């Protein structure tokens, strides 16, 4: 049952691909302004769990209950996206606002304003008109981050957000996350919980051997 302080309940969730069991009997809860770091070995199920939370995968059994009208921002893994599509940095970031409008509606001035704020937050304003195929790895990652942050989501899901960022950009990301953690629920996939030194109230969900500990 979802109460006023809960964003999402994971109820006895399992996920399998045929005979391969990826996650088994997961029971967890996300509350308002929780900051959760998903750690664990490669192939342990961190990304799978994040995609289940996002609703991009459906559990084999069990259920995931989300608070009504929860808006999610999602940063997928860097390497899973084709950058040859002919579009610009500004358009990619603006597309993150789609969750704030009806499917048939055009983007409003307020949507464009929020997208512009996200571009500025990640120091992308000067690159707004650049084709995404021309971006460096770090610029592309900052573009995807801006897209996830643009709608000011209730639940922000980030899969390895530090990928391809230089030291200065990583430090800035941690500062931003420390600020955002006071306003929204955040789940981050990372190989190292210590990469988030500014989040004092962070929780660790270690994903390994099909379980969360």
């Amino acid at each position: 049952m979802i109460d006023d302080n809960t964003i999402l309940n994971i109820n006895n969730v399992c996920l399998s691909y045929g005979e391969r069991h990826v996650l088994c009997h997961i029971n967890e809860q996300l509350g308002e302004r929780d900051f959760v770091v998903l750690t664990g070995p490669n192939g342990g199920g961190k990304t799978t769990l994040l995609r289940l939370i996002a609703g991009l995968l459906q559990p084999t059994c069990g259920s995931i209950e989300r608070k009504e009208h929860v808006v999610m921002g999602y940063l997928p893994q860097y390497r899973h996206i084709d950058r040859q599509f002919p579009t610009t940095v500004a358009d990619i970031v603006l597309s993150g606002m789609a969750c704030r409008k009806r499917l048939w509606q055009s983007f409003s001035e307020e949507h464009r304003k929020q997208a512009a704020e996200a571009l500025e937050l990640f120091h992308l304003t000067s690159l707004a008109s650049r084709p995404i195929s021309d971006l460096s790895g770090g610029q592309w990652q900052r573009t995807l981050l801006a897209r996830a942050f643009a709608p000011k989501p209730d639940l922000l899901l980030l899969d390895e957000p530090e990928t391809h960022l230089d030291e200065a950009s990583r430090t800035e990301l941690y500062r931003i996350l420390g600020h955002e953690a006071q306003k929204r629920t955040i789940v981050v996939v990372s190989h190292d919980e210590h990469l988030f030194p500014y989040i004092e109230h962070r929780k660790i969900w270690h994903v390994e051997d099909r379980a969360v500990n």
Side-chain angles (χ1 to χ4, degrees), residues 11-165:
N11 305 306
N12 199 35
V13 160
C14 302
L15 187 131
S16 302
Y17 297 107
E19 297 298 316
R20 185 167 72 91
H21 304 301
V22 181
L23 295 169
C24 297
H25 305 297
I26 308 302
N27 290 282
E28 297 291 345
Q29 185 179 79
L30 288 173
E32 298 277 358
R33 290 180 294 281
D34 276 353
F35 190 101
V36 175
V37 183
L38 300 183
T39 65
N42 288 334
K46 301 185 299 296
T47 291
T48 298
L49 180 56
L50 195 74
R51 287 171 60 82
L52 282 164
I53 292 170
L56 299 173
L57 293 174
Q58 295 302 313
T60 308
C61 65
S63 65
I64 297 179
E65 186 181 13
R66 297 173 187 83
K67 192 171 185 177
E68 193 174 8
H69 305 307
V70 162
V71 172
M72 288 185 281
Y74 177 65
L75 172 78
Q77 281 190 0
Y78 175 99
R79 60 183 176 273
H80 290 166
I81 299 176
D82 180 10
R83 275 206 283 156
Q84 299 310 307
F85 190 77
T87 190
T88 66
V89 169
D91 287 340
I92 289 292
V93 176
L94 182 60
S95 71
M97 296 303 303
C99 59
R100 290 291 189 184
K101 70 178 186 67
R102 301 289 188 182
L103 185 62
W104 62 86
Q105 290 177 324
S106 300
F107 289 111
S108 67
E109 285 306 309
E110 180 60 29
H111 295 144
R112 295 180 187 280
K113 178 184 175 184
Q114 283 188 223
E117 290 172 354
L119 285 166
E120 184 175 359
L121 181 65
F122 287 96
H123 308 292
L124 293 165
T125 304
S126 63
L127 302 177
S129 61
R130 183 172 295 187
I132 62 172
S133 58
D134 291 351
L135 300 179
S136 69
Q139 290 167 341
W140 176 232
Q141 184 73 349
R142 285 188 285 124
T143 299
L144 295 177
L145 281 163
R147 181 183 185 275
F149 277 75
K152 300 178 181 178
D154 307 301
L155 176 56
L156 182 60
L157 307 173
L158 306 174
D159 200 343
E160 299 184 10
E162 317 94 325
T163 302
H164 288 286
L165 297 182

Side-chain angles (χ1 to χ4, degrees), residues 130-198:
R130 183 172 295 187
I132 62 172
S133 58
D134 291 351
L135 300 179
S136 69
Q139 290 167 341
W140 176 232
Q141 184 73 349
R142 285 188 285 124
T143 299
L144 295 177
L145 281 163
R147 181 183 185 275
F149 277 75
K152 300 178 181 178
D154 307 301
L155 176 56
L156 182 60
L157 307 173
L158 306 174
D159 200 343
E160 299 184 10
E162 317 94 325
T163 302
H164 288 286
L165 297 182
D166 59 25
E167 184 175 354
S169 295
R170 287 197 302 271
T171 299
E172 179 69 2
L173 172 63
Y174 303 148
R175 184 195 67 77
I176 291 169
L177 285 173
H179 178 71
E180 293 296 317
Q182 302 173 42
K183 299 184 288 185
R184 63 193 87 258
T185 303
I186 301 174
V187 182
V188 181
V189 171
S190 177
H191 293 286
D192 186 355
E193 66 188 79
H194 302 296
L195 291 176
F196 301 92
Y198 305 117

